[in-house]
Amino acid sequence: MTKLISQYTALLDKLDRLDWLVPTLARLSFLAVLFFYFWNSATLKIDGSIFSPSAGAFGQIFPKAAEAVLYDVTQLNIFQRLVIFGGTVAEFVLPVLIVIGLMTRVAALAMIGFVMVQTLVDVTGHGVALGSLFDSAQGLIDQRVMWILLFAILVFKGAGPVSLDALLRKRAT
């Protein structure tokens, strides 16, 4: 029995030395699973340029206000324009920062905030049931819990050794 415990402890020690792999795999998982979701979402929010919000963005972010004016983007007020612009920029920039591993902790923390706001809009504006967590057929909110966990790994562990953050840290020392 002592030998079995010793082998188990030795295995755990080896696994602990692979701790650097966790944030690297988290970034690769983000690239494989969520990067293009956010990138495509951002491209749908613009109508020709980053400064021209689309009717889809209006309806997606401010569904009740958009419906009230029949999705006419000329009716956007300055606050709505700024929110759509900020959200679009965030959906383009933050995923790229995570993938290349630059300012990863900040970008991941911002993505957690982004997903929380996105979920709040879905619940208050689009009628997604928040009370259905983990038992919903749609599973939208359940998925976002997993997204936040992925971003939390990056917030707490950083980008890992294969990243621009690691390169900059190495150059600074």
Side-chain angles (χ1 to χ4, degrees):
M1 185 69 168
T2 306
K3 184 175 180 177
L4 182 63
I5 292 172
S6 177
Q7 287 175 338
Y8 177 71
T9 306
L11 176 64
L12 291 180
D13 288 342
K14 286 179 184 175
L15 288 174
D16 284 345
R17 279 179 257 156
L18 292 176
D19 192 46
W20 63 270
L21 197 55
V22 173
T24 304
L25 290 175
R27 287 182 31 243
L28 288 173
S29 296
F30 172 78
L31 175 62
V33 177
L34 291 174
F35 179 84
F36 292 103
Y37 165 83
F38 286 108
W39 192 268
N40 290 335
S41 178
T43 60
L44 294 174
K45 287 183 176 69
I46 58 176
D47 191 17
S49 90
I50 192 89
F51 300 106
S52 301
S54 69
F58 191 16
Q60 190 178 33
I61 299 172
F62 297 103
K64 293 175 183 174
E67 190 175 322
V69 296
L70 303 174
Y71 299 89
D72 180 6
V73 293
T74 64
Q75 301 296 313
L76 284 164
N77 63 39
I78 189 69
F79 172 76
Q80 292 165 331
R81 286 184 183 279
L82 288 173
V83 168
I84 292 171
F85 177 76
T88 304
V89 169
E91 279 188 310
F92 277 126
V93 173
L94 295 174
V96 170
L97 290 175
I98 288 172
V99 169
I100 65 174
L102 180 62
M103 298 185 341
T104 308
R105 292 174 193 249
V106 174
L109 189 60
M111 286 300 294
I112 289 172
F114 188 92
V115 170
M116 292 173 77
V117 169
Q118 180 184 29
T119 303
L120 180 67
V121 169
D122 284 341
V123 169
T124 60
H126 297 288
V128 174
L130 187 59
S132 63
L133 192 62
F134 300 115
D135 63 359
S136 169
Q138 186 178 10
L140 177 67
I141 305 298
D142 303 353
Q143 290 176 23
R144 293 194 183 157
V145 170
M146 296 299 292
W147 299 359
I148 289 174
L149 175 63
L150 180 71
F151 296 132
I153 289 169
L154 296 172
V155 168
F156 291 113
K157 299 296 246 173
V162 184
S163 65
L164 288 177
D165 285 343
L167 182 67
L168 291 172
R169 183 179 294 140
K170 210 178 271 189
R171 290 196 72 184
T173 55

